[in-house]
Amino acid sequence: MPEVSFDLSGRVAIVTGGSRGIGEAIARAFAKAGAKAVITGRKMDALERAVAVIAADGGEASAISCHMGDMVQVKDLVAKTVEKYGTVDILVNNAATNPYFGPLINADERAWDKIMDVNLKGAFFLAQEAAKVMIGKGGGSIVNLASVAGYSPGPMQGIYSMSKAGVIAMTKALAKELALQKVRVNAVAPGLTETNFSALLINTKEILDYALQGIPMKRYAQPSEIVGAVLFLASDAASYVTGTVITVDGGSLA
C-alpha cells in the first residue's frame, strides 16, 4: 500500500494572487513542500518581496506579473511558466476582487464585469490553459479558491457571492471532463479570513459582530489555516479526490 505523501518536490505550481494573504501563505507552503512556486499578481514589487521571503526560507519561487482580468496576460502566464520551468503541475486559482459592497439593486455593469472577469472568467481560462499542459504531461492538480459566500451569499456581497458560486460549478464541471486525463480539479471555500481583502468586514464592528454570530468557533481564520486543505488537494495524498469543495469556515456552513 503506497504511503500518503504531501511532498511536492520537483513540481511546478502557479499561485495567483500570491503576493499577500492566502495566496502568499499557499506559495510559501508549496515551496517548503519542495515545489517551484510561480506567484502572480499585478504589482511586481509586492511579488518580488514575496519571492524574497520564500528564498530566505530556503524555497524556490519566481514572480510573473499577471492581471486576471486580461485574457492575453492569463494565457501568457502559462506560456512563461512553461518557458521557465518546462511544465505546470499545479494551479491554484486564488486571485479575486470585490470592488462593490452594497445592495444588488444599486450595482452597476462595471462592478459586475470587473468581479466576473477576475473571479470567474480569468480563473476559467487560466485553468483551461494549465489543463492543456497537464494533459500533455499525463496529469496535474487544479485547486480553485471559492468561498462560503458561494453557498450562502454574504450581505452586500451579492455579485462576489455569485462569482464564487460560479467557481464552485466550474470546479465540478472541469473535474468531470478532465478526470480521465488525470487532471484533478477541486476547490477550497474559506470562511471569513484576516486579509487585506476582508479588512472592511473585520474592521467594521457591526459587520464583524454579525459575521461572528454565524461562526460556531466565534472567530475568523488566519491565512495559514487555509493552507492545509490546499496542500492536501494539490498533493498525491488527494490522488482519488476530484470535484470536491472543502470548506474551511469555523463551522459556519454546518
Side-chain angles (χ1 to χ4, degrees):
M1 182 176 179
E3 293 184 4
V4 174
S5 175
F6 296 90
D7 182 34
L8 301 181
S9 294
R11 299 186 191 181
V12 178
I14 296 174
V15 181
T16 69
S19 66
R20 63 186 185 182
I22 293 172
E24 181 181 10
I26 291 168
R28 292 178 67 178
F30 278 9
K32 285 185 178 180
K36 299 177 179 67
V38 176
I39 60 174
T40 78
R42 289 181 297 167
K43 298 180 179 179
M44 200 64 187
D45 56 343
L47 293 172
E48 290 174 345
R49 179 201 58 79
V51 166
V53 170
I54 291 172
D57 206 23
E60 182 173 349
S62 298
I64 298 177
S65 177
C66 178
H67 187 332
M68 290 297 292
D70 184 326
M71 298 307 110
V72 173
Q73 291 187 32
V74 165
K75 187 172 183 177
D76 284 349
L77 171 59
V78 173
K80 290 176 180 178
T81 300
V82 172
E83 181 180 358
K84 182 172 181 63
Y85 288 119
T87 192
V88 178
D89 300 289
I90 300 163
L91 166 65
V92 178
N93 265 319
N94 167 72
T97 189
N98 186 27
Y100 179 73
F101 187 83
L104 278 172
I105 198 167
N106 294 333
D108 60 23
E109 183 179 3
R110 183 178 179 183
W112 170 276
D113 287 344
K114 184 171 183 179
I115 293 169
M116 291 298 178
D117 281 353
V118 173
N119 296 5
L120 186 55
K121 183 180 178 181
F124 170 74
F125 282 102
L126 181 54
Q128 184 186 74
E129 289 298 314
K132 291 174 184 177
V133 176
M134 294 174 183
I135 291 169
K137 65 181 292 299
S141 175
I142 297 172
V143 184
N144 299 313
L145 269 290
S147 169
V148 294
Y151 290 103
S152 180
M156 305 296 167
Q157 302 174 74
I159 301 175
Y160 173 81
S161 299
M162 285 186 267
S163 75
K164 290 302 186 178
V167 169
I168 292 169
M170 176 186 78
T171 297
K172 294 177 179 292
L174 286 172
K176 288 182 177 181
E177 288 200 12
L178 299 176
L180 292 181
Q181 282 76 38
K182 298 182 180 179
V183 177
R184 296 182 299 102
V185 188
N186 295 286
V188 172
L192 183 59
T193 305
E194 186 176 24
T195 64
N196 289 346
F197 188 83
S198 63
L200 174 64
L201 306 181
I202 290 175
N203 295 332
T204 305
K205 186 179 185 303
E206 295 80 5
I207 297 175
L208 179 60
D209 288 345
Y210 175 81
L212 293 179
Q213 289 177 20
I215 303 174
M217 293 182 73
K218 300 302 179 189
R219 67 176 180 86
Y220 47 81
Q222 295 299 314
S224 59
E225 294 181 290
I226 313 303
V227 170
V230 180
L231 178 59
F232 164 68
L233 292 172
S235 74
D236 290 342
S239 59
Y240 196 57
V241 180
T242 197
T244 195
V245 183
I246 298 177
T247 55
V248 186
D249 64 352
S252 64
L253 293 183

